[in-house]
Amino acid sequence: MNNYIEKMNGLKIEIEDKLNNVLSSKELNELKVTYLSKKGPIGELSSLMKDLSIDEKKEFGKVLNEFKDGINALFDSKKEEIESLELAKKIDAEKIDVTLPSTKIPIGSSNILERVVEEFEEVFMSMGYDVVDGPEIEEDKYNFELLGLPKGHPARDAQDTFYVKGDELLMRSHTSPVQARVMTSKNGEEPVRVICPGKAYRRDDDDATHSHQFTQVEGLIVDKNIKLSDLKGTVTVICKHLFGSDTVTRFRPSYYQFTEPSVEMDISCFNCKGKGCNICKNTGWITIGGAGVVHYDVLKGCGYDPNIWSGFAFGFGAERCAMLKYGINDIRIFYNTDLRELKAFDRREG
Ligand code: DAH
């Protein structure tokens, strides 16, 4: 018996010693398995019981249980100590230093071209126009034929078109096909008042002032008694709204196959107010698009009786307008997503 008690005392010292060096819950668990599992040294002691007499068993059982309780208590108190240490460490690691500078998250900015298009939409909508959409991959019929440009017409060459499939399907070379689409959808019976902002494509060189992809804001009105003077009035109101109330408009005779008469729309140079500078190439005027009275044949081809109905149409170059508005000299900037550049325009706008 004494022999066993001695062994127990020795084990206790050994365990206390090892527990002193334990630093984590993991180590503590490992130690527990080593000493308290059935195959461990304490388990072995229990297995000695079978060789003892009944009286000895009683006494030894009592001593062994007290010993086990003592060892368990040692493990429990170590467990508590380690857990509170680990918790303190965790809290320490998660501490937030409110004095540290914050991480700046850059705020996005809308594209300037988009902004100009939205301004066009807003002002036209306030005048009762609907904003409509059309396909960018277009049929030859709408892009050319219905607009007075039959196959083989020399003016088609000026539009340097990208063909998608044979000579019937193409990337629209202007937004004017939407006019033909809207008119043909009305069966010649309803007035039309729409604008269509959208992309158009031409095989232009990718230099600072040209891009193979560009944006136009097309417009069309069809009703009774629509005259060139209505076009002038409308465009003048729009330009004053977009470019400032002191903007003056000018309409120069021009030629488009789908309008008669046709005009080129100019505005007084916002920079020199008409005196002449390098932005307006010393002319005092800047061209912002084409327009005209809808051609007799176009109305007819799209199902309207030209003796009853008349209309005007226009096409603004949106990049041109945005470049003027924000003083940009490189068209490629519009297709950039560099926040620093976009931010610069935010500042310019004040
Ligand atoms: N589609 C013409 C172009 O791309 C612009 C234009 C001129 C549109 C006259 C019109 C218009 O609606 O009436 O150059």
Side-chain angles (χ1 to χ4, degrees):
M1 258 303 267
N2 283 345
N3 213 4
Y4 296 142
I5 292 177
E6 227 168 76
K7 210 167 179 179
M8 284 182 210
N9 287 339
L11 261 175
K12 194 173 173 210
I13 292 167
E14 189 183 318
I15 290 172
E16 277 172 340
D17 201 40
K18 293 227 164 126
L19 278 176
N20 275 338
N21 295 323
V22 162
L23 293 170
S24 67
S25 309
K26 190 173 169 252
E27 282 173 33
L28 186 68
N29 281 338
E30 280 166 10
L31 204 62
K32 206 168 174 181
V33 172
T34 313
Y35 284 97
L36 293 175
S37 65
K38 273 192 186 148
K39 285 187 183 152
I42 299 175
E44 264 171 32
L45 280 176
S46 313
S47 65
L48 296 172
M49 289 249 267
K50 61 178 187 318
D51 304 328
L52 301 177
S53 68
I54 295 203
D55 284 348
E56 279 175 329
K57 261 187 193 156
K58 261 190 195 165
E59 203 190 330
F60 182 70
K62 202 173 154 226
V63 174
L64 185 64
N65 278 341
E66 278 168 11
F67 171 69
K68 276 189 190 165
D69 288 347
I71 298 293
N72 274 323
L74 282 179
F75 272 99
D76 286 349
S77 86
K78 187 71 188 179
K79 190 173 175 217
E80 239 172 67
E81 183 193 320
I82 290 228
E83 277 177 356
S84 69
L85 262 177
E86 284 181 342
L87 184 67
K89 244 195 223 167
K90 202 173 163 208
I91 290 172
D92 206 44
E94 284 174 2
K95 204 157 66 189
I96 296 167
D97 182 353
V98 290
T99 64
L100 278 177
S102 62
T103 322
K104 291 245 172 343
I105 301 167
I107 298 170
S109 191
S110 59
N111 184 284
I112 332 146
L113 184 58
E114 285 293 315
R115 261 188 264 168
V116 169
V117 167
E118 275 166 20
E119 282 179 51
F120 266 112
E121 289 178 357
E122 266 166 36
V123 62
F124 273 110
M125 282 195 290
S126 75
M127 293 168 88
Y129 285 72
D130 286 333
V131 178
V132 296
D133 222 356
E136 287 174 28
I137 294 178
E138 187 53 283
E139 291 172 44
D140 184 88
K141 176 176 131 188
Y142 294 108
N143 196 80
F144 289 131
E145 301 245 349
L146 285 169
L147 298 176
L149 288 150
K151 289 209 170 71
H153 194 292
R156 280 190 177 213
D157 295 348
Q159 301 233 353
D160 267 345
T161 314
F162 285 113
Y163 283 88
V164 175
K165 198 174 161 205
D167 56 2
E168 288 306 325
L169 219 49
L170 45 86
M171 303 294 285
R172 67 178 178 198
S173 57
H174 50 176
T175 44
S176 301
V178 186
Q179 291 186 25
R181 283 189 172 270
V182 172
M183 279 192 274
T184 47
S185 72
K186 303 279 186 195
N187 297 322
E189 279 159 13
E190 278 171 61
V192 174
R193 196 182 293 188
V194 293
I195 63 157
C196 166
K199 292 187 193 109
Y201 303 85
R202 287 186 201 173
R203 289 189 287 127
D204 260 331
D205 279 340
D206 212 0
D207 67 15
T209 55
H210 288 90
S211 162
H212 58 276
Q213 176 199 295
F214 54 98
T215 313
Q216 291 186 325
V217 179
E218 189 77 22
L220 170 71
I221 186 159
V222 177
D223 211 321
K224 299 190 177 137
N225 288 320
I226 300 289
K227 301 176 292 294
L228 186 66
S229 54
D230 297 314
L231 165 70
K232 287 170 81 174
T234 305
V235 169
T236 304
V237 168
I238 301 292
C239 289
K240 280 182 185 293
H241 178 86
L242 287 177
F243 299 104
S245 54
D246 55 348
T247 307
V248 182
T249 46
R250 182 176 81 166
F251 299 84
R252 280 182 293 117
S254 185
Y255 181 75
Y256 293 103
Q257 288 71 30
F258 33 97
T259 42
E260 180 57 39
S262 302
V263 292
E264 212 77 8
M265 305 183 286
D266 296 344
I267 56 166
S268 52
C269 178
F270 63 93
N271 187 43
C272 64
K273 306 284 174 226
K275 286 194 202 84
C277 68
N278 61 347
I279 291 183
C280 59
K281 300 200 178 86
N282 283 318
T283 63
W285 297 97
I286 296 165
T287 303
I288 51 167
V293 171
V294 183
H295 198 288
Y296 186 97
D297 290 341
V298 173
L299 281 172
K300 206 167 160 194
C302 294
Y304 279 86
D305 181 348
N307 296 312
I308 301 171
W309 301 89
S310 56
F312 67 71
F314 53 81
F316 288 102
E319 280 84 357
R320 198 79 210 277
C321 292
M323 284 165 96
L324 295 174
K325 208 169 158 159
Y326 293 99
I328 299 164
N329 53 13
D330 189 337
I331 200 168
R332 290 166 294 198
I333 255 180
F334 296 124
Y335 311 113
N336 241 336
T337 49
D338 191 329
L339 273 178
R340 287 166 302 181
E341 276 173 6
L342 294 174
K343 279 274 172 285
F345 295 113
D346 275 353
R347 282 197 291 278
R348 228 175 271 194
E349 207 176 19

